[in-house]
Amino acid sequence: MVDFTPSSLFSVERLSQLHKALIAIDNTVVHLAALPDTGLAHDHVWISRDTGPDWIARLPKQSQMQLDPETNLEYQANCFRRAAQSGHTPDLHAILPISADFPRGGLLVSAIEGRQARLPDDLPAIGEALAHLHEIAVPPVAARPPLESPHSPWTAMRDEVLAQATYLDDAPIDEGTRRRLDSELTLFNDDRELAERIDAQRCLISFDAHPGNFLITPEGKAVLVDLEKCRYGHPGLDLAHASLYTSTTWDPASYAVLDTATVVDFYRHWWATRHTTNEVMDVEALVATRRAMWLWSTTWCAKWLTLHHQERDSLAQGEDWSAALSEDRLIAHVEDRARHYLSSPVIERVSHDNHRLADELAQAK
């Protein structure tokens, strides 16, 4: 007998459908519990098993990378497989096939017994987790697909940010804020020497390393549980996503406003974990990728504010930011954060923080 604990979006009927789909994969399930709706990309169900450790079903609501369901599943599965070498991510156990009941399929991964990250206390553990992820050997070019590994990761990042920046035309910002963002976007103007250095430092990155995506085990180990957007790029993008104001104030459970000294210590701890030589941090590359990650997050806010009013994609194909896929509470939270991050005071604050960090990291080398 299997027990079900539903949620407002995940009914007993849907949990029953999931159980039927699971029978062919694992017949030891005793309880399925829909987890709180905390993200725009997945539903999550805790799978209690009679024998062996529990699992989590990650059921895509959409593909943030604009992939069809089959390609999206394969991409995410490879994210988990490759990141597993770090020792700081859940193991992948099985793929839930695409079906009429689950048109985007799903992944079955290890359930992590842990709590949400508390900042700044857990920043060292997060830095260590990222250092171990970034130390995974980069495979030969031919072996990197399906994960993204563009010829120039910096150019690819530029193109992605500038594509999202087109949504600034409809964003709730004044002319002064738009001019400030346009000025910040000149970061991507041609600087071939910097671009070449950034591209030369490519490694496996999460590209979604905000603190809300980490769980802290009872032993104090940080586990990165959301891996759908891994790619080969510069590690500074992950460090930024873990410590920017637009990341540390995103998730209510890990909310914190970090001062510059704390962020400097975070970068230095990551560097010390990753490197045992006297090699010097490339501060210019780390700051450039930090600014790029902030611009990506800020322009994403403009994009989401424009697209979340659209109807749900009835064909369940590719990207879909429709508010219909998530609880009203979550949509209200995301809208509040998106408008906040696009506000003039926050744009000024983060820009100032980035320049101050550049100065203090340079002094700390």
Side-chain angles (χ1 to χ4, degrees):
M1 183 67 179
V2 177
D3 294 324
F4 301 133
T5 302
S7 68
S8 61
L9 287 180
F10 220 99
S11 65
V12 169
E13 179 183 5
R14 196 167 181 214
L15 288 171
S16 178
Q17 292 169 342
L18 177 59
H19 178 237
K20 291 177 182 177
L22 287 171
I23 289 175
I25 299 171
D26 182 79
N27 62 0
T28 68
V29 177
V30 295
H31 186 212
L32 296 178
L35 298 181
D37 188 23
T38 58
L40 299 170
H42 292 85
D43 289 314
H44 297 88
V45 177
W46 189 288
I47 303 171
S48 298
R49 303 167 65 232
D50 189 39
T51 59
D54 291 350
W55 293 350
I56 294 289
R58 290 171 47 89
L59 306 168
K61 300 178 183 180
Q62 58 139 325
S63 167
Q64 296 187 71
M65 298 184 67
Q66 305 179 32
L67 303 175
D68 66 79
E70 184 175 353
T71 305
N72 184 48
L73 270 188
E74 183 60 22
Y75 195 100
Q76 292 195 31
N78 274 278
C79 289
F80 277 90
R81 291 182 185 120
R82 298 193 194 180
Q85 299 174 55
S86 71
H88 288 265
T89 61
D91 291 329
L92 172 67
H93 296 286
I95 297 177
L96 188 73
I98 293 169
S99 65
D101 290 333
F102 297 95
R104 294 182 185 268
L107 299 185
L108 305 177
V109 303
S110 295
I112 304 300
E113 295 282 358
R115 57 168 174 80
Q116 293 290 326
R118 300 183 190 125
L119 304 183
D121 293 351
D122 292 321
L123 273 177
I126 290 173
E128 290 167 17
L130 291 175
H132 287 105
L133 177 69
H134 299 154
E135 279 295 279
I136 294 172
V138 177
V141 173
R144 294 176 196 167
L147 299 195
E148 290 188 355
S149 184
H151 175 71
S152 170
W154 181 245
T155 300
M157 184 65 171
R158 178 201 67 190
D159 293 346
E160 193 168 344
V161 170
L162 294 181
Q164 291 186 160
T166 61
Y167 291 95
L168 291 171
D169 294 339
D170 299 316
I173 57 177
D174 58 37
E175 291 183 6
T177 302
R178 177 60 189 267
R179 285 195 298 271
R180 182 57 183 265
L181 284 171
D182 286 342
S183 176
E184 291 286 346
L185 287 166
T186 62
L187 165 71
F188 295 109
N189 289 354
D190 287 341
D191 185 338
R192 184 168 300 179
E193 191 273 335
L194 175 61
E196 288 176 352
R197 289 210 321 271
I198 290 172
D199 291 344
Q201 297 170 44
R202 99 172 61 206
C203 61
L204 181 63
I205 63 173
S206 156
F207 204 75
D208 203 5
H210 73 79
N213 280 338
F214 287 88
L215 290 177
I216 309 299
T217 69
E219 297 75 30
K221 178 180 178 179
V223 180
L224 180 56
V225 296
D226 195 340
L227 296 165
E228 66 180 291
K229 295 189 288 189
C230 289
R231 61 196 65 184
Y232 293 99
H234 194 277
L237 296 172
D238 278 350
L239 298 181
H241 217 159
S243 58
L244 278 163
Y245 177 85
T246 45
S247 298
T248 65
T249 63
W250 173 265
D251 194 310
S254 56
Y255 184 101
V257 178
L258 305 178
D259 59 33
T260 303
T262 298
V263 178
V264 169
D265 286 345
F266 169 64
Y267 274 71
R268 295 181 70 182
H269 187 73
W270 164 82
W271 183 258
T273 302
R274 192 177 180 207
H275 293 268
T276 57
T277 68
N278 292 324
E279 186 179 357
V280 177
M281 278 194 297
D282 187 343
V283 170
E284 186 181 9
L286 288 171
V287 172
T289 50
R290 183 179 186 83
R291 292 176 61 197
M293 191 74 252
W294 168 55
L295 289 168
W296 184 94
S297 299
T298 303
T299 55
W300 177 88
C301 288
K303 176 181 177 178
W304 183 86
L305 286 170
T306 300
L307 298 182
H308 82 283
H309 295 295
Q310 294 182 346
E311 294 294 325
R312 179 176 182 169
D313 178 10
S314 60
L315 298 178
Q317 297 287 316
E319 187 178 50
D320 187 357
W321 296 109
S322 173
L325 292 168
S326 301
E327 292 179 352
D328 291 345
R329 170 196 52 78
L330 175 59
I331 295 301
H333 168 73
V334 174
E335 182 165 5
D336 170 77
R337 293 291 83 192
R339 291 181 180 276
H340 179 62
Y341 298 148
L342 285 166
S343 67
S344 180
V346 171
I347 299 294
E348 293 292 334
R349 177 199 181 105
V350 178
S351 178
H352 172 76
D353 287 350
N354 287 338
H355 286 92
R356 185 174 178 185
L357 180 68
D359 292 339
E360 296 201 15
L361 274 177
Q363 295 174 17
K365 286 198 298 184

